[in-house]
Amino acid sequence: MSFLSVKNLHVSVDGKEILRGIDLELGEGEVHAVMGPNGSGKSTLSYVLSGREGYDVTDGEVLFRGENLLEMEPHERAAAGVYLAFQYPVEIPGVSNLTFLKTAVNAVRARRGQEDLDAINFLKYAREKGEILEMKDELLKRPVNVGFSGGEKKRNEIFQMAMLEPSLAILDETDSGLDIDALRIVSEGVNKLRTPDRSMIVITHYQRLLDHIVPDFVHVLAKGKFVANGGKELALELEKEGYAKFGIEDEAGSEAA
Amino acid sequence: MTPPAETAPVIEEAAKSEYKYGFVTEIDSEFAPKGLNEDIVRFISAKKEEPEWLLEWRLTAYRHWLTMKEPKWAFVDYPEIDFQDAYYYAAPKRDEDKPQSLDEVDPKLLETYEKLGIPLAEQAVLAGVAVDAVFDSVSVATTFKEKLTEAGVVFCPISEAVQTHPELVQKYLGTVVPYTDNFYATLNSAVFSDGTFVYVPKGVRCPMELSTYFRINAANTGQFERTLIVADEGSYVSYLEGCTAPMRDENQLHAAVVELIAMEGAEIKYSTVQNWYPGDEDGKGGIYNFVTKRGICKGANSKISWTQVETGSAVTWKYPSCVLEGENSVGEFYSVAITNNRQQADTGTKMVHVGKNTKSTIISKGISAGKGQNTYRGLVKALAGAEGARNFTQCDSLLIGDECGAHTVPYIEVGNPLSQVEHEATTSKISEDQLFYCQQRGLDPEEAVSLIVNGFCKEVLKELPMEFAVEAQKLLGVTLEGSVG
Amino acid sequence: MAKSDNTAEILKSFEQARESLPGIWLAETRTDAISRFGEAGFPTPRDESWKYTNLRPITRSMFYPFAAVTPSNGAEWSHLFVSGADRIVIRNGAYDANLSSVGDLPNGVVLRPLSVALETGQVQLEGALARIAAVDDAPLVALNTAFIRDGLALILPKGVKLDRPVQVLHVVECSEVQLALHPRSLIVAGDNSSATVIETFAGTDDAAYWTNAVTETRLGKNASIRLVKRQSETIGAYHTALCQVSLDRDARFFSVALAAGAALSRNETKVSFNGAGADCTLAGGALLRRRQHADNTTEADHRVAYTTSNQVFRNVLDDQSRSVFQGGVIVQQDAQKTDSSQSNRNLLLSPGAHADAKPELRIFADDVKCAHGATVGDLDREALFYLQSRGIPVGRAKALLIEAFIGEVLEKLPEGVLRDHVGDAVSGWMDAGEGA
């Protein structure tokens, strides 16, 4: 039984087919990169795995540790260990980062049959994990993502990941909008969270993230299908020759340099 | 949370007071017949052994009430009330008629108390368990009333104050909300059942939140409550009315009046949590809550602050207001109003700037779910003499579901060029992005809504006294249960 | 209920005048309308939508709908002409052919004084005239409907774009009696058509009268109408007006209405959105002094999904004047994805001035974006000081700030004749203040 098994996945949004038969086998502890130009279906893949409404699976199946992932509610998937680092983290005014995470961590713990963390232990835990991402106390107290810079938002996503300790982390364009320093902090954070029992799907448009987070496998997504699969060298190839080599038009590809 | 140490003596006091007024001995004859006429008004007054002036005041109010019509301008809809088909005086229930222990109480009610985290002893009081049965087991600790007496604070039922401090009551009663004020206030003036009187003398900072008392007594304040709070020069008092626990009451119509008077340099903080029975999912049987609340900042540098969390009642009609007479006086209104199922709320405030350099702040958060209708209605008025008046109003509405309504009706009347009035309002819904984000982090949809709503209400909730803020947060979640499918 | 106002006299005057009113086919509509008015009477401040405007000055004295008026004393109106526009002039309530001028029009376009259209174009008017503006709960519209006599009829066939703006100039030159004028404009824009209409109201200094105008506008799919209104009535006049707009799918209505004249004025605009993609912008305001009273009342009724409205109103008040802004936004249950914003600001220049604002939102749908804001205050002290510190005299500095304030309305109009026409009213107002 593989850790995550995606078979012939077809997904439509508003009646329009976005994913047209995705196959993906992910072993425990493996890091897979999914690369592709804009509009290839990268975000759709991350949303359908995490259970967002409006993404209709028209064919295929997704087994997560042998269980049918597609039948689970989003919060059940989170409890089961699926974590999505959002491309555009959402603001929740008036709710502090800590309150939010305490609610989330305890909700997940409850479903995993663990006891609630009390306020003191939670704070200790949060500070511990915060150090990995260089999260200052002040960031923890601010409302979720409100008034955060782009880099702070992405750091916050990885910090939350550290807190929730998922077994499958999906990073959706975590590198977009980051300068070099922020990219370093974020990817170092991710690397620290890389353990033998945690798998990751790293979705990105650009190769540069993969210099920091070195994947075990790379898949190239175009028009809703994987058009190439390979090792990390595939990313470099793509970087050098562009998406065109795979017969893909990408107007934004030139930015990759 | 454990009940504050002050609780016990109050309970004792409450327990005693029933005997003191001899309700027990004559209880069966203490029902006035249905309907309202001058005899009923006289009957109520006689039962309370009121002085002649108060009876006269009630009668004048009653006669004036006969000339008035029920107001129709609010955005609420309810069947015509037959004012002759109601009881205007009923003595409290005897202990032997009440449940003798929590085991006899509706388990659904207890479940809600549990969710709100209300301590067992208080659950018993709220559920109407016979007082003796509950409090025999509560140990008597420090002296609550003594502490207040020491500070010179008068804090008692208004019916008692009429006997013990008649000069104060006569001096201030009806000076903020005159008996002619409006249909419901006039009715209240004629038939008010009981309520609270507070007097804080010059320079005294009331040594405790006047909240615990109400937690205990709230269940029995009657349908025409009357509250009068006077803060003399340089004094401070924080008063909390109501209860996060759902309160059941057979009386459908509630028409309370609250009057606040702040002298020079005084500050009154008045917080309310209203959670009267909202009726069933179709709104049947819920309370009509038609309240007149007004404070006057009489002296310079005085301050009145209203904070309300309105989650109950089938129909709410309520505009806690401030008349800012003294120079530099400050009025504040912080409100959270939730309507779910068939609930309707038309609530807001009036800030009337009379004196120079007066300031007011209005923060209103309306949440509509189910088929609820939620209206903010607020007046900001700066009179010609109110030079330097300032107002800031922020009114936000949140919609959950597509069958509810959120309405904002501000009235801004400014007659002075040296004043600044600003009003901002937004209406939005809980975004799918926010819901999904929370769910992705492991929260179920109801937890997610509760969290987002609490964030939305943050600016108001932080104004509540600490021990209540926690319960109020839970209350928001409980109120919205079932609003997301 | 005993009426202390002139309702009875008005009913009587209608009976006397009805025979002389144009368009026999409209007789039944008139009868119905006058009886509606008779039942309802004038609105009073007890009516929530008239809370801040009391019509007592109008209801207490008598205005005559049809007085014999001596011909023009040679009053000169050319300064109010918008150059390059087709022009219909309504003088003392009736079409004045000499002052009017209409050039060649695209095929099928009806652009006529209403009195002419009533007698000749029944087919084109039926189904539109007195059908768009409802008389229910609108006694002043009912009254206007009963007395319809002249004004504008503009009917645009599908796909026609009018290159020249159309100006309707209403002038009153009568000093011997107090006239009651009930001008009516009808604008029907077919699918994909577009036009600009300018309504200008003015009178000679010695005239005292009451203008009670109604403008009915219906826009077909993807049609676009820009309505510019300059209310420069003489200071002794009263002005009440209602503009009712109905928008079909993707239609766009854009209006700018500025009031600088009249002792008492009320300008009400009601827009109903009946098709997805419809959009409206309502901009306006008032410049007031002495004891003038100006009321701008709006209602944007979003009935269907995906519609947008934007309202911008600015009032400047000097002396003892009083402004009212009642902005209404209704979002009905089916009107998901409505996007609506509303902004009202009031500038008080004198201790006696008074501004009332009631920006109202009524929302019955959940997936909407609605925001409104209202402010009342005096000139920004800091800005004033800043200008002075740069050597600008205080009077000039104030004028600059006032112009900038009202400029937020003017800038909604394209540069050129339209902005100049309304801008002239602003500078006229500013100039008149300098002498005082």
Side-chain angles (χ1 to χ4, degrees), chain C residues 51-235:
Chain C
K51 185 178 164 69
Y52 294 117
T53 295
N54 194 333
L55 291 178
R56 193 177 292 168
I58 296 174
T59 63
R60 286 293 169 85
S61 56
M62 193 55 206
F63 295 90
Y64 298 89
F66 298 101
V69 178
T70 31
S72 171
N73 56 4
E76 177 54 55
W77 298 109
S78 61
H79 64 284
L80 290 174
F81 294 174
V82 173
S83 70
D86 289 322
R87 186 173 56 249
I88 287 178
V89 178
I90 308 295
R91 197 163 56 84
N92 295 331
Y95 175 56
D96 186 322
N98 291 331
L99 292 174
S100 303
S101 142
V102 176
D104 286 342
L105 295 165
N107 262 346
V109 171
V110 174
L111 170 51
R112 286 191 198 137
L114 186 64
S115 52
V116 176
L118 275 170
E119 298 294 1
T120 59
Q122 178 181 351
V123 182
Q124 286 146 319
L125 301 188
E126 258 178 344
L129 186 68
R131 294 296 171 89
I132 302 162
V135 296
D136 307 331
D137 302 320
L140 295 183
V141 176
L143 193 59
N144 175 290
T145 304
F147 283 102
I148 286 175
R149 182 172 156 204
D150 222 327
L152 168 74
L154 174 63
I155 294 165
L156 302 171
K158 282 181 187 178
V160 169
K161 177 176 185 293
L162 283 193
D163 293 325
R164 298 185 302 271
V166 176
Q167 183 184 24
V168 190
L169 175 60
H170 302 264
V171 295
V172 181
E173 317 167 340
C174 168
S175 56
E176 56 254 55
V177 285
Q178 296 198 120
L179 281 180
L181 306 136
H182 299 285
R184 166 80 56 143
S185 291
L186 175 69
I187 302 168
V188 178
D191 296 353
N192 298 306
S193 66
S194 72
T196 295
V197 177
I198 304 149
E199 295 184 303
T200 310
F201 293 86
T204 50
D205 289 345
D206 54 356
Y209 55 91
W210 170 32
T211 298
N212 175 42
V214 172
T215 301
E216 299 183 273
T217 309
R218 181 153 71 209
L219 278 69
K221 293 181 182 67
N222 202 37
S224 160
I225 291 291
R226 178 160 54 199
L227 187 64
V228 180
K229 176 170 172 177
R230 170 175 167 184
Q231 189 266 93
S232 294
E233 304 271 30
T234 187
I235 198 67

Side-chain angles (χ1 to χ4, degrees), chain B residues 134-151:
Chain B
V134 180
F135 293 106
D136 284 351
S137 60
V138 178
S139 69
V140 176
T142 51
T143 44
F144 174 62
K145 189 118 189 175
E146 258 175 34
K147 228 168 158 184
L148 289 175
T149 316
E150 217 172 89

Side-chain angles (χ1 to χ4, degrees), chain C residues 245-381:
Chain C
V245 184
S246 162
L247 300 179
D248 202 341
R249 193 183 179 93
D250 296 320
R252 297 172 304 282
F253 179 73
F254 179 95
S255 99
V256 169
L258 191 85
L264 181 153
S265 69
R266 156 111 162 181
N267 188 52
E268 191 169 348
T269 309
K270 291 171 128 179
V271 181
S272 71
F273 295 81
N274 303 309
D279 167 77
C280 92
T281 295
L282 305 177
L287 297 159
L288 306 170
R289 59 168 56 91
R290 286 181 264 186
R291 305 192 66 86
Q292 276 181 289
H293 173 117
D295 174 336
N296 264 300
T297 293
T298 66
E299 181 186 287
D301 185 3
H302 297 265
R303 300 170 180 213
V304 296
Y306 295 99
T307 56
T308 50
S309 67
N310 175 18
Q311 304 185 25
V312 178
F313 283 83
R314 300 284 180 265
N315 296 312
V316 181
L317 298 97
D318 206 346
D319 303 332
Q320 320 290 305
S321 62
R322 182 166 179 157
S323 74
V324 176
F325 173 71
Q326 301 186 109
V329 172
I330 303 170
V331 180
Q332 310 273 13
Q333 200 176 339
D334 292 334
Q336 297 292 358
K337 305 283 179 192
T338 292
D339 189 341
S340 146
S341 68
Q342 201 183 57
S343 152
N344 168 236
R345 291 172 62 199
N346 301 282
L347 191 56
L348 302 191
L349 301 173
S350 142
H354 184 111
D356 293 317
K358 189 184 161 210
E360 182 172 350
L361 298 174
R362 289 215 155 172
I363 296 166
F364 298 91
D366 66 332
D367 194 2
V368 297
K369 247 169 68 187
C370 293
H372 67 197
T375 65
V376 184
D378 63 346
L379 286 169
D380 183 343
R381 296 293 160 109

